[in-house]
């Protein structure tokens, strides 16, 4: 029996194993809306160029709309024997409108068809991610404004370093996410060229208008080289690279939420909405949402790596290996969308323990740098000398088990006779953060200015 997809070249159908490994309908059905949109644009162009009749184009458009309604409504029957979304749609179209359906595939191939569908899907997905990131940024900016004056420890090497404000800490992630949005938007701009009309690999002899189909589908222009059009998936790789960086940023914030919500830190509390319990330990409150955000970063990065490996040794043009591109991208962005939503929920949900943060902010001699700066600014010491004097005072405090502000002035003078009572003004965490007024610094007024700026930018 001749294969109904491939025509007269094959006299028999594929084996069950071949059908199993070859079919992609189980996952590429996600492209149905993009596939139908591309087919409608193609049919409209074919009619405009006189390649098919306007009557046939009208029947094709009506049939495709009906098919989309069936899929939207869950009444469409997908067939694995028809391999992919393209052939499933075309087969159903033939059932609906008859011979006119066979004219739809004029001057195109499944190669340029899937490349177009996939670009449309990635473009739609990037638009969705961009909106989600904006929502997360708004949540962070709102919380930062509420806590512009809330002091907390700033860390390097996860050791207490200098006091900062909780608002300033949250605004650091706003800056990261802004760059993430820039990468998403850049990837979208670069992918926004239309492969449709490149056919299998060499273009077509039909007098098609690729600029028309590109414009109809919202692309900036058609792709310039038919081989490149069907051969590369760098648009998906770039989008997934951007997704991986986003996931890393969210994983870092998730890790901090895990640390902050521990009994040892106690800086924040998540409600029951984003916590779970233990099957054996009734006292436990586990920040599972944050932990899963952290874990899914690995999955997202793995998806990108898988596609890189799939593509790395392929000659031009289309190879069947590239069928494996979509599952990676679908998984990557489904999980990314979920973790952005989860993080936005957690940022809205978490309740900072202001008193615990403030108490911790002054521990670990966190104002030592302020002391060194005071020695430079007031006594005129070279910074390296000031660093040495401060180090000796830290050693005194550590030996006695007290903080720097608790060292009597007389004892400070034994280390450097020029130290005066005024030094105690710089040893409080509140004065420390207020003094960090340099551009980008943690001073509360700086934080409020950044909150105001980002609130306006985000709308």
């Amino acid at each position: 029996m001749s294969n109904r997809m491939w025509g007269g070249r094959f006299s028999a159908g594929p084996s069950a194993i071949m059908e199993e490994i070859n079919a992609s309908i189980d996952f590429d059905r996600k492209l149905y809306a993009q596939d139908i949109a591309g087919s409608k644009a193609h049919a409209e162009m074919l009619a405009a160029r006189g390649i098919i009749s306007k009557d046939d184009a009208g029947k094709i458009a009506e049939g495709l709309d009906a098919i989309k309604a069936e899929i939207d409504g869950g009444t469409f029957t997908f067939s694995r024997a028809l391999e992919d979304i393209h052939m499933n749609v075309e087969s159903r179209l033939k059932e609906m409108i008859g011979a006119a359906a066979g004219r739809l595939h004029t001057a195109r191939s499944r190669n340029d068809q899937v490349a177009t569908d996939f670009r449309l899907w990635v473009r739609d997905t990037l638009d969705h991610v961009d909106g989600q990131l904006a929502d997360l940024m708004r949540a962070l900016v709102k919380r930062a404004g509420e806590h512009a004056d809330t002091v907390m420890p700033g860390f390097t090497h996860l050791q207490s370093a200098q006091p900062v404000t909780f608002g300033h800490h949250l605004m650091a992630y706003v800056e990261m996410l802004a760059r993430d949005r820039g990468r998403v938007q850049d990837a979208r701009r670069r992918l926004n060229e239309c492969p449709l009309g490149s056919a299998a690999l060499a273009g077509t002899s039909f007098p098609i208008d690729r600029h028309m189909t590109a414009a109809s589908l919202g692309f900036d222009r058609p792709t310039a080289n038919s081989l490149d059009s069907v051969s590369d998936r760098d648009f998906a790789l770039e989008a997934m690279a951007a997704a991986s960086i986003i996931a890393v940023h969210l994983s870092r914030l998730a890790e901090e939420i895990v640390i902050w919500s521990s009994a040892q830190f106690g800086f924040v509390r998540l409600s029951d909405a984003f916590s779970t319990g233990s099957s054996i330990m009734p006292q436990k409150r586990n920040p599972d949402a944050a932990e899963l955000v952290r874990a899914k970063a690995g999955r997202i990065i793995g998806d990108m790596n898988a596609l890189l490996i799939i593509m790395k040794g392929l000659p031009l043009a289309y190879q069947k290996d590239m069928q494996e591109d979509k599952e990676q991208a679908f998984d990557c962005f489904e999980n990314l969308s979920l973790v952005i939503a989860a993080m936005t929920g957690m940022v809205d949900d978490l309740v900072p323990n202001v008193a615990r943060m403030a108490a911790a902010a002054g521990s670990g001699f966190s104002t030592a740098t302020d002391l060194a700066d005071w020695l430079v600014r007031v006594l005129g010491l070279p910074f390296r000398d000031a660093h040495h004097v401060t180090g000796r005072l830290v050693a005194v405090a550590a030996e006695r088990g007290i903080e720097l502000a608790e060292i009597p002035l007389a004892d400070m003078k034994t280390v450097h006779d020029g130290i005066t009572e005024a030094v105690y003004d710089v040893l409080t965490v509140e004065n420390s953060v207020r003094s960090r007024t340099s551009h980008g610094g943690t001073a509360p007024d700086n934080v409020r200015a950044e909150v105001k700026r980002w609130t306006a930018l985000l709308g």
Side-chain angles (χ1 to χ4, degrees), residues 5-6 35 38-40 42-43 45-46 51-52 60 64 84-87 89-91 93 97 99-114 117 196-197 199-200 204 206 208:
M5 288 185 290
W6 304 325
D35 191 70
S39 290
K40 288 179 68 177
H42 186 65
M45 179 276 295
L46 292 176
I51 298 169
I52 67 173
I60 288 169
L64 290 170
D84 55 31
I85 186 61
H86 322 299
M87 298 310 300
V89 169
E90 186 174 322
S91 178
L93 186 64
I97 69 172
R103 301 190 185 281
L104 175 58
H105 209 55
T106 306
R108 75 174 185 185
S109 161
R110 281 192 294 176
N111 294 356
D112 61 333
Q113 189 177 356
V114 71
D117 294 355
L196 196 57
T204 178
F206 288 96
I208 61 173

Side-chain angles (χ1 to χ4, degrees), residues 28-29 49 109 153 158 202 213 232 259 298 321 333 340 349 370 376 385 395 414:
D28 70 14
R29 65 177 65 184
R49 298 293 293 164
S109 161
L158 205 56
T213 48
D232 211 342
I259 293 170
D321 310 52
F333 283 103
I340 297 172
D349 182 78
D370 298 274
V376 171
D385 292 347
T414 63

Side-chain angles (χ1 to χ4, degrees), residues 130-284:
D130 187 49
Q132 283 192 296
L133 290 174
D135 288 342
L136 175 53
M137 291 172 71
R138 291 185 190 98
L140 287 164
V141 169
K142 180 174 181 293
R143 301 314 299 274
E146 295 166 356
H147 293 281
D149 293 286
T150 300
V151 293
M152 67 174 290
F155 298 97
T156 62
H157 309 278
L158 205 56
Q159 305 294 314
S160 185
Q162 293 177 271
V164 295
T165 65
F166 187 50
H168 188 61
H169 195 112
L170 295 179
M171 290 302 291
Y173 285 101
V174 173
E175 294 294 328
M176 294 181 205
L177 293 170
R179 294 192 296 274
D180 289 332
R181 290 187 71 195
R183 278 182 282 271
V184 165
Q185 292 161 8
D186 284 346
R188 190 197 193 281
R189 277 192 291 271
R190 263 185 291 280
L191 74 76
N192 206 34
E193 296 182 346
C194 183
L196 196 57
S198 298
L201 73 162
T204 178
S205 58
F206 288 96
I208 61 173
D209 185 347
R210 293 190 61 211
H211 288 85
M212 178 180 174
T213 48
S216 179
L217 293 169
F219 288 106
D220 294 330
R221 64 192 68 84
T223 51
N225 183 285
S226 59
L227 279 167
D228 174 57
S229 301
V230 300
S231 295
D232 211 342
R233 294 294 184 266
D234 60 348
F235 63 90
L237 286 166
E238 183 175 12
M240 292 166 76
S244 297
I245 297 172
I246 295 167
V248 167
H249 286 156
L250 298 185
S251 180
R252 296 182 72 181
L253 179 53
E255 168 70 359
E256 294 198 308
I257 291 173
V258 170
I259 293 170
W260 292 343
S261 62
S262 67
Q264 290 73 18
F265 273 72
F267 287 179
V268 302
R269 179 183 174 88
L270 290 172
S271 77
D272 294 351
F274 290 94
S275 304
T276 65
S278 165
S279 64
I280 189 172
M281 295 170 285
Q283 83 282 9
K284 291 294 295 297

Side-chain angles (χ1 to χ4, degrees), residues 63 87 89-90 125 144 166 202 207 226 284 300 343 350 403 433 453:
M87 298 310 300
V89 169
E90 186 174 322
T125 300
F166 187 50
S226 59
K284 291 294 295 297
I300 290 164
M343 185 56 71
L350 62 83
E403 296 298 330
V433 296
R453 180 174 75 90

Side-chain angles (χ1 to χ4, degrees), residues 337-365:
S337 180
L338 179 59
V339 298
I340 297 172
M343 185 56 71
T344 304
M346 282 187 283
V347 170
D348 283 334
D349 182 78
L350 62 83
V351 177
N353 186 331
V354 175
R356 186 73 173 263
M357 285 184 173
S363 66
F365 315 113

